[in-house]
Amino acid sequence: MLLELKNIYKWVDQGGKRIFLLKDLSFKVEEGEFISIMGPSGSGKSTLLNVIGMLDDFQEGAYTFLDEQVHSMKDKNRSKLYKEYIGFVFQAYHLIDELTVYENIETPLLYKNVKSAERKALVADMLDRFNIVGKKDLFPSQLSGGQQQLVGVARALIAKPKLLLADEPTGNLNSAQSEEIMKLFKELNNEGVTIIQASHSESNAAYGSRIVKLLDGMVDNS
Amino acid sequence: MLKNYFKIALRNLWKNRTFTALNIVGLTAAFGVAFLLSMYAIFDLSYDRFHENTGSIFSVYANEQTPEGAESDEANPIPFAEALRNEVPGVEHIAKYVTGGVLITYKDKTLGMSSALTDPEFFQIFTFPVLEGDENNLIADKNSIALTRKAATIIFGEEPALGKTVTVQRGGMEVPVTVTAILKDIPETSDFNFSALFNFKSLPDAFYADNLDDWSAHNHSVYLKLADGVTPRQFERSTRTFSELHYADNISSAKRDGAQPNAEGNYRQIKLLPVEDQSFASIKNGVITVSKTLQYIVLGIAFLILFIASVNFINMSIAKSAQRLREIGMRKTLGAGKSQLFFQLWGESGLVFLIAVVLGSLLAVGLLKPFQTLFDTKASFGSILSLPILTAVFLVIGLITLVAGGYPSLLMSKLGTLQALKGKMQNTGKNRLRDVLMVLQFSITILLIAGTLVLWQQLEFLRHKDLGFNKEQVIAFPLNTKQDPDNIIQLLRNELSKSPEILGLTAADDNLGLGRDGRASATVLGFDFKNRQVSTNMLFVDYDYAKTLDIPILQGRSFDRSFPGDSLSVVINEAMVKELGEQDALNVQFYLDDSVKYSVIGVVKDYNFDALDMAIEPITYFMDGGSPMHYVYVKVVPQNLTDSYETVKEAWSRIEPSTLFMGSFLDENIDRTLTKERMMTTMISSGSLLAIVLSCIGLFAISLLVVTQRRKEIGIRKVVGASVSTITILLTKDFLKLVALSFFIATPIAWYFSSQWLQNYVYRINLTLWVFLGAGGIALVIALATIGVRTIQAAMQNPVDSLKTE
């Protein structure tokens, strides 16, 4: 088992009213799964992904990641854990505008203190694999949306994560580009990377091995 | 990692070129000027601090109580030093010291040099390292001379100087002396500036040998080094019996004249002046006072300017940081730690500062020459190149970058990852820190503008003040001649009387103001009048002095060629009438040297013959015909002053072709005495000019950012019907409030300091609120102009464009 969420509650207080973002949510992920989380806007897809990705806190419940208790962990260890095992892909790509393609992909390695020679080799492999060697010195603004997301995925994968979290990875892309990314995900999953993606689209969700439906912060079992 | 930071820093700076340029220009200007100003101040403040014994070296003077209050006496009698050493405990070393000039002849070369005469113990007190010669036998007798390296090179060239014999002129005789020591050149930062040093005993007998036991001839300075553990206060207190013993006569006449004792009950108090304060000492109201205000003001301006530029930087960084939130958030998701982010962002600020410091130093180097000329200083980078000062400079720069760059970095690195990713900052629209900083910035600016206005007004007031004599039409020039001065005056009188543009000619032994020869002197005479000590300035004049200078005669007459007895007559001013305390001034007669009787024949109206920070003192004109005249005054017609000047100059060149004509109009001479005021005005006004420019850069940048941030709001407001003017008002209102607040903060401070400063002047302007309103107005108008253009532009934009950006 890769991770388990048990009875997670997350809420915000707004104007004296408590609004639940996640409500008694329990969720289990095995290694090698490809999960698509679906649900309408505001159902808590992004929140769930952020919680799993340790970018966000929750108020109640237990979160176990690779047999470690995330909820009772210190910030420092948590960020170590997630630097090691988790990669993120965003709908809006979130590439750093001031860095070239090459440098964007390289950045996670810098924060992991990987040596220069090794970094070069890893980034070169990644560029090769995604067929973007020719674009390595371009800046994000010089790329199309699909290409930018490709770089985003490459960056998420460079540190060899066990888990790839993708929040609407194809939300800003046209259908051809979407399909390309989804095929890539499938391929990655076959290689052993666990993937959790949030998606609106049925066709994208179909690439997954399991679909989890969310409604108002709860898993919709209907 | 570092390379990556560096790269992204450069790209970021390039991306925000406008702001980077504004910041670098502002900081460069600030650093450049701050370097120059602090160089100036530190150079001045480091005077005579290089002596190993600094802290325990003092010059000795005395405060005497007179009926007019305390008066400092810097000169001491010959037996004083030795007696002080023997009778008052605590003196480790003591030396007499007097400066002069000397004519030194070597082979066929004769050179005039500045010299000093002192006791050999001088070297135990001060640190003037000996390069060559026996340290224990430096200026042991009348036949020795010690030279500085520079002086030795001038006299002997490359030849070894030690042991050589030169001749010096002493009392009209050529005396051979031997070079017994070569001293290291005296640092620029020293009040001592002798080239040659002699034993004190080499002074003429009339000065030294005849006065060995005379306590009434005060003629030289005395320096001493206190023994370890003795404080100057203790020492001053323990001299009481010494003063009472040796100055009994002075004390009893002070008592007789009705002088009040000082707070400790003494009529004569020996005082110690630290040698490092020597160059800051001046006589104010009769008493030696040490004032380093100018240096501290200059240093203060340097810091204020740096502060203003740093505030700009902080404000811009905070405002710009909103745009970098996404990057920060992304870096956090990619695994960056807080400290890593902090150092990255701080490093970027550091880079900007580094560039600014380097460019600022270059700017300072480039401006050094004109700066040195303008402010008449020898300060250079050398004067701040000492370890403690450099450390301080680096600490200050480090601190500024830490605050200026670190604060925004801290803000951003502390932000939650998700918030950052969404690009949101808890931005309530109000930015308290920014407002506070801007208020401070504008307060400083208004303070400096007000200071400039006050200084400038006072300077103009002094320059145009009616001094009581005709300064516009009178040319004064020194009688530099080897011929008989009286003869020259007569020849000039004959020559010039032919020219219609010359209205009169006279002479005196002193100049008015400061002439081109830069000499200033005053002769003060004290005598007993009706069993009371009175004192007066004395001036030896030629006929027509009052008439040539247009000094009105109130009573009696001036010296007249038809009265042969006038060599025993004097003319006095109103202040002297008061000093004498006589109703009928024209009947006053007094004796000088116990035997010669002088009678007052006339009274002139008071006029400012002295520096303008002093009240008018008593003055007495003598005309005994025997005293040498040093300055000639020529009154010319008011038209074509330059032509008249040429006429006088030509006449001089015909009569005395061998020396240069050094004449100048009296108003120029008066201007020359106001150098300090002019320098301060220049410094403060250039400081405030820079402060204005820097504040405007900051304001401009902030208004630019605010306009961008509120673009959508402006669009919406326009769509619902707001006009250009209401939007402009909306956008500028907030800034103008800050300027107004600054005005209320700065005005009382400016008022306090300028009124304090004006207390230094007997003749001063009245402070009115207008000056401060003016300063505030200037700041307001400039602020308005700075933000106005960009704001109106934003307000006039088509709302469709601004709404589309969403």
Side-chain angles (χ1 to χ4, degrees):
Chain A
M1 187 182 60
L2 183 68
L3 65 93
E4 184 176 18
L5 300 174
K6 253 189 202 159
N7 312 102
I8 299 285
Y9 285 86
K10 179 171 173 64
W11 66 76
V12 288
D13 291 322
Q14 216 166 51
K17 266 167 58 186
R18 178 160 290 183
I19 296 169
F20 285 93
L21 302 175
L22 298 174
K23 201 168 177 184
D24 195 20
L25 185 132
S26 297
F27 185 57
K28 216 187 253 184
V29 179
E30 298 295 336
E31 262 185 70
E33 277 195 285
F34 185 172
I35 301 173
S36 299
I37 300 176
M38 296 198 68
S41 290
S43 60
K45 299 187 299 284
S46 295
T47 313
L48 178 60
L49 280 185
N50 288 337
V51 165
I52 295 174
M54 301 171 204
L55 294 179
D56 215 347
D57 282 332
F58 49 90
Q59 274 91 354
E60 272 175 30
Y63 176 16
T64 321
F65 187 93
L66 286 174
D67 300 326
E68 299 209 52
Q69 303 295 321
V70 177
H71 53 272
S72 56
M73 209 179 258
K74 273 191 192 152
D75 257 4
K76 210 176 167 187
N77 296 333
R78 192 183 302 173
S79 91
K80 212 164 134 194
L81 191 68
Y82 115 120
K83 243 197 267 189
E84 189 70 33
Y85 297 112
I86 300 178
F88 247 109
V89 178
F90 299 89
Q91 175 178 359
Y93 331 127
H94 284 335
L95 299 178
I96 298 176
D97 293 339
E98 284 75 26
L99 297 182
T100 61
V101 166
Y102 182 96
E103 289 156 353
N104 259 297
I105 298 176
E106 187 189 26
T107 310
L109 300 177
L110 291 172
Y111 288 120
K112 283 180 80 177
N113 291 324
V114 177
K115 288 217 172 55
S116 162
E118 200 185 338
R119 273 202 320 260
K120 261 186 199 148
L122 286 169
V123 177
D125 277 356
M126 200 53 78
L127 288 168
D128 219 17
R129 161 156 198 198
F130 284 65
N131 274 326
I132 43 176
V133 179
K135 309 219 156 45
K136 73 180 169 68
D137 292 324
L138 296 182
F139 286 91
S141 54
Q142 294 165 301
L143 300 177
S144 73
Q147 286 166 335
Q148 285 192 50
Q149 193 59 297
L150 219 53
V151 177
V153 177
R155 184 179 61 184
L157 291 174
I158 188 79
K160 299 207 164 44
K162 270 190 177 330
L163 174 64
L164 187 67
L165 296 171
D167 191 356
E168 304 261 8
T170 60
N172 284 6
L173 303 179
N174 63 32
S175 56
Q177 289 168 332
S178 297
E179 209 184 310
E180 198 184 335
I181 295 288
M182 279 304 119
K183 277 185 180 151
L184 177 63
F185 274 22
K186 190 76 205 161
E187 212 175 290
L188 290 170
N189 182 239
N190 291 339
E191 287 166 25
V193 181
T194 313
I195 297 176
I196 308 178
Q197 65 163 342
S199 182
H200 270 304
S201 126
E202 295 279 351
S203 58
N204 282 352
Y207 281 92
S209 54
R210 173 154 74 104
I211 293 177
V212 175
K213 286 194 171 154
L214 278 190
L215 190 63
D216 297 334
M218 292 180 285
V219 177
D220 184 5
N221 291 320
S222 61
Chain B
M1 186 66 109
L2 268 180
K3 208 175 113 200
N4 184 278
Y5 284 171
F6 190 68
K7 220 177 329 186
I8 199 163
L10 282 184
R11 283 183 198 154
N12 241 314
L13 295 178
W14 181 245
K15 195 175 149 205
N16 298 317
R17 327 188 241 293
T18 323
F19 293 95
T20 309
L22 286 176
N23 265 325
I24 288 184
V25 167
L27 285 171
T28 300
F31 272 114
V33 170
F35 278 144
L36 286 175
L37 291 182
S38 39
M39 249 188 262
Y40 173 86
I42 291 171
F43 176 79
D44 272 14
L45 289 172
S46 62
Y47 257 65
D48 283 312
R49 285 188 183 273
F50 59 88
H51 305 288
E52 279 163 26
N53 296 334
T54 300
S56 55
I57 310 177
F58 300 89
S59 83
V60 189
Y61 68 99
N63 278 351
E64 286 177 303
Q65 298 301 123
T66 72
E68 284 83 34
E71 259 177 39
S72 293
D73 179 10
E74 296 166 273
N76 298 288
I78 300 289
F80 173 82
E82 214 41 50
L84 194 69
R85 183 210 306 274
N86 294 333
E87 294 168 32
V88 182
V91 180
E92 191 175 318
H93 296 291
I94 193 161
K96 304 185 277 293
Y97 182 85
V98 69
T99 55
V102 63
L103 280 177
I104 297 177
T105 310
Y106 177 67
K107 288 182 181 162
D108 49 359
K109 201 160 58 169
T110 302
L111 296 155
M113 288 196 163
S114 61
S115 69
L117 301 99
T118 185
D119 298 321
E121 225 172 316
F122 184 75
F123 289 97
Q124 261 102 56
I125 301 175
F126 295 102
T127 307
F128 290 114
V130 178
L131 298 176
E132 295 171 39
D134 177 6
E135 292 208 28
N136 300 316
N137 199 12
L138 289 169
I139 40 168
D141 54 43
K142 286 182 172 189
N143 304 321
S144 319
I145 177 173
L147 291 169
T148 60
R149 163 63 62 213
K150 208 189 284 167
T153 316
I154 291 171
I155 300 170
F156 302 103
E158 294 305 307
E159 297 175 39
L162 197 70
K164 287 258 165 56
T165 303
V166 294
T167 48
V168 296
Q169 205 138 41
R170 214 173 260 169
M173 308 230 293
E174 300 278 329
V175 182
V177 293
T178 310
V179 179
T180 54
I182 304 296
L183 306 176
K184 203 174 151 194
D185 284 330
I186 302 172
E188 300 276 18
T189 51
S190 180
D191 228 24
F192 298 95
N193 67 344
F194 51 81
S195 301
L197 207 56
F198 297 95
N199 189 300
F200 198 79
K201 290 176 186 147
S202 331
L203 281 161
D205 286 354
F207 195 104
Y208 176 70
D210 298 349
N211 293 326
L212 285 178
D213 298 313
D214 185 350
W215 283 82
S216 65
H218 296 207
N219 55 19
H220 64 277
S221 318
V222 168
Y223 289 101
L224 62 76
K225 179 191 178 305
L226 285 184
D228 290 341
V230 182
T231 69
R233 292 294 143 266
Q234 271 173 359
F235 183 83
E236 283 173 6
R237 241 172 292 151
S238 58
T239 57
R240 183 176 179 150
T241 37
F242 176 88
S243 295
E244 280 168 1
L245 177 67
H246 295 289
Y247 296 97
D249 288 352
N250 301 51
I251 292 173
S252 62
S253 63
K255 278 181 184 163
R256 181 199 66 194
D257 296 346
Q260 295 300 310
N262 67 7
E264 282 95 42
N266 296 340
Y267 285 90
R268 188 185 174 90
Q269 175 66 59
I270 290 180
K271 306 279 279 179
L272 298 181
L273 177 71
V275 71
E276 64 273 20
D277 287 349
Q278 197 170 238
S279 50
F280 301 100
S282 61
I283 296 205
K284 198 153 276 169
N285 298 326
V287 181
I288 289 187
T289 16
V290 172
S291 164
K292 302 181 183 177
T293 326
L294 177 64
Q295 284 70 26
Y296 287 130
I297 287 182
V298 170
L299 213 53
I301 293 180
F303 275 103
L304 290 183
I305 286 173
L306 270 188
F307 177 80
I308 292 183
S310 305
V311 163
N312 282 349
F313 186 83
I314 297 179
N315 278 342
M316 281 194 235
S317 309
I318 294 178
K320 288 304 279 182
S321 59
Q323 298 179 5
R324 293 193 64 183
L325 284 180
R326 258 170 20 93
E327 181 203 330
I328 308 296
M330 198 55 233
R331 283 185 181 273
K332 281 192 150 185
T333 32
L334 294 179
K338 264 182 212 165
S339 55
Q340 279 170 317
L341 283 175
F342 175 79
F343 281 111
Q344 183 197 340
L345 295 170
W346 179 40
E348 278 177 33
S349 334
L351 191 66
V352 173
F353 271 85
L354 197 71
I355 296 171
V357 168
V358 171
L359 290 179
S361 319
L362 290 178
L363 183 73
V365 170
L367 290 178
L368 190 61
K369 272 272 160 323
F371 178 80
Q372 284 176 333
T373 331
L374 185 59
F375 295 111
D376 190 24
T377 175
K378 285 188 179 131
S380 66
F381 274 94
S383 42
I384 54 172
L385 283 183
S386 76
L387 196 62
I389 293 171
L390 279 184
T391 326
V393 167
F394 278 110
L395 272 179
V396 167
I397 292 176
L399 205 71
I400 295 174
T401 52
L402 199 63
V403 174
Y407 178 74
S409 319
L410 196 70
L411 269 192
M412 288 208 274
S413 57
K414 271 172 75 177
L415 219 63
T417 314
L418 273 180
Q419 275 175 325
L421 260 185
K422 285 177 192 154
K424 270 189 208 149
M425 196 145 71
Q426 300 96 320
N427 204 344
T428 49
K430 292 245 183 275
N431 190 332
R432 198 149 300 228
L433 179 82
R434 185 192 77 194
D435 289 352
V436 169
L437 287 175
M438 281 178 73
V439 166
L440 268 178
Q441 207 175 25
F442 268 91
S443 303
I444 294 169
T445 308
I446 294 175
L447 188 74
L448 289 175
I449 299 177
T452 309
L453 292 179
V454 171
L455 267 169
W456 179 75
Q457 276 193 339
Q458 172 70 10
L459 184 65
E460 286 303 294
F461 173 77
L462 289 180
R463 284 187 59 198
H464 294 120
K465 183 179 162 7
D466 180 11
L467 299 178
F469 59 88
N470 189 332
K471 59 182 177 180
E472 287 83 17
Q473 279 168 263
V474 178
I475 302 168
F477 53 92
L479 267 170
N480 283 338
T481 177
K482 291 194 189 99
Q483 305 175 39
D484 174 23
D486 289 339
N487 194 24
I488 296 274
I489 296 173
Q490 201 46 53
L491 287 171
L492 276 170
R493 194 169 267 146
N494 296 342
E495 179 82 23
L496 290 171
S497 60
K498 294 176 219 151
S499 317
E501 65 259 49
I502 306 298
L503 298 178
L505 184 145
T506 186
D509 68 341
D510 200 4
N511 204 347
L512 277 166
L514 211 54
R516 275 164 62 196
D517 55 348
R519 281 174 61 111
S521 67
T523 318
V524 179
L525 167 76
F527 58 92
D528 274 359
F529 178 71
K530 298 198 171 161
N531 285 325
R532 211 161 43 80
Q533 176 93 16
V534 293
S535 74
T536 172
N537 286 272
M538 64 193 292
L539 186 71
F540 288 96
V541 299
D542 196 5
Y543 288 111
D544 303 332
Y545 187 78
K547 188 179 132 212
T548 308
L549 287 161
D550 285 337
I551 302 167
I553 294 169
L554 299 177
Q555 294 175 44
R557 60 176 178 87
S558 184
F559 301 108
D560 198 320
R561 291 181 179 81
S562 53
F563 290 82
D566 270 0
S567 65
L568 288 176
S569 303
V570 295
V571 174
I572 61 177
N573 68 348
E574 293 170 281
M576 183 61 187
V577 176
K578 241 175 261 148
E579 170 88 5
L580 291 169
E582 287 291 306
Q583 287 297 324
D584 186 4
L586 293 183
N587 278 331
V588 171
Q589 296 184 327
F590 56 84
Y591 291 87
L592 293 184
D593 299 335
D594 293 332
S595 53
V596 189
K597 188 172 89 175
Y598 287 87
S599 13
V600 175
I601 54 163
V603 176
V604 293
K605 198 170 185 313
D606 275 346
Y607 66 100
N608 292 91
F609 57 88
D610 234 332
L612 287 174
D613 52 2
M614 298 220 278
I616 296 174
E617 291 188 347
I619 189 167
T620 307
Y621 298 162
F622 291 83
M623 209 211 58
D624 61 3
S627 297
M629 298 286 112
H630 296 306
Y631 291 89
V632 175
Y633 299 81
V634 179
K635 185 179 173 191
V636 300
V637 290
Q639 299 84 20
N640 280 329
L641 291 172
T642 22
D643 289 353
S644 311
Y645 181 86
E646 284 307 315
T647 313
V648 177
K649 188 176 171 185
E650 275 162 29
W652 171 266
S653 316
R654 271 197 299 279
I655 292 162
E656 177 49 292
S658 60
T659 52
L660 203 63
F661 180 70
M662 296 278 271
S664 53
F665 281 96
L666 288 181
D667 48 2
E668 298 167 30
N669 290 4
I670 302 298
D671 266 12
R672 236 169 253 135
T673 62
L674 299 172
T675 324
K676 196 181 103 195
E677 284 76 12
R678 190 163 312 110
M679 215 161 82
M680 249 169 103
T681 315
T682 321
M683 278 214 185
I684 295 193
S685 54
S686 40
S688 53
L689 195 70
L690 189 60
I692 295 171
V693 172
L694 290 175
S695 305
C696 283
I697 288 182
L699 193 61
F700 178 71
I702 295 294
S703 69
L704 217 62
L705 286 165
V706 167
V707 165
T708 328
Q709 274 166 15
R710 296 176 78 170
R711 223 180 135 176
K712 194 178 156 201
E713 182 197 337
I714 297 169
I716 296 172
R717 280 178 190 273
K718 280 197 87 172
V719 168
V720 298
S723 68
V724 172
S725 59
T726 47
I727 287 180
T728 312
I729 290 169
L730 173 87
L731 290 172
T732 46
K733 197 179 58 191
D734 291 342
F735 291 117
L736 297 188
K737 266 191 222 156
L738 298 183
V739 177
L741 185 61
S742 315
F743 171 74
F744 288 114
I745 294 175
T747 301
I749 302 173
W751 187 293
Y752 174 77
F753 281 115
S754 35
S755 62
Q756 283 296 310
W757 177 73
L758 285 174
Q759 293 303 316
N760 290 332
Y761 295 87
V762 180
Y763 308 103
R764 52 179 181 254
I765 51 164
N766 286 319
L767 277 184
T768 58
L769 197 59
W770 289 111
V771 176
F772 301 99
L773 285 178
I778 291 175
L780 193 70
V781 167
I782 293 175
L784 212 59
T786 314
I787 45 182
V789 182
R790 194 71 196 81
T791 313
I792 294 174
Q793 229 173 40
M796 295 210 313
Q797 247 179 15
N798 188 344
V800 177
D801 293 337
S802 47
L803 289 177
K804 241 191 330 209
T805 56
E806 268 304 289

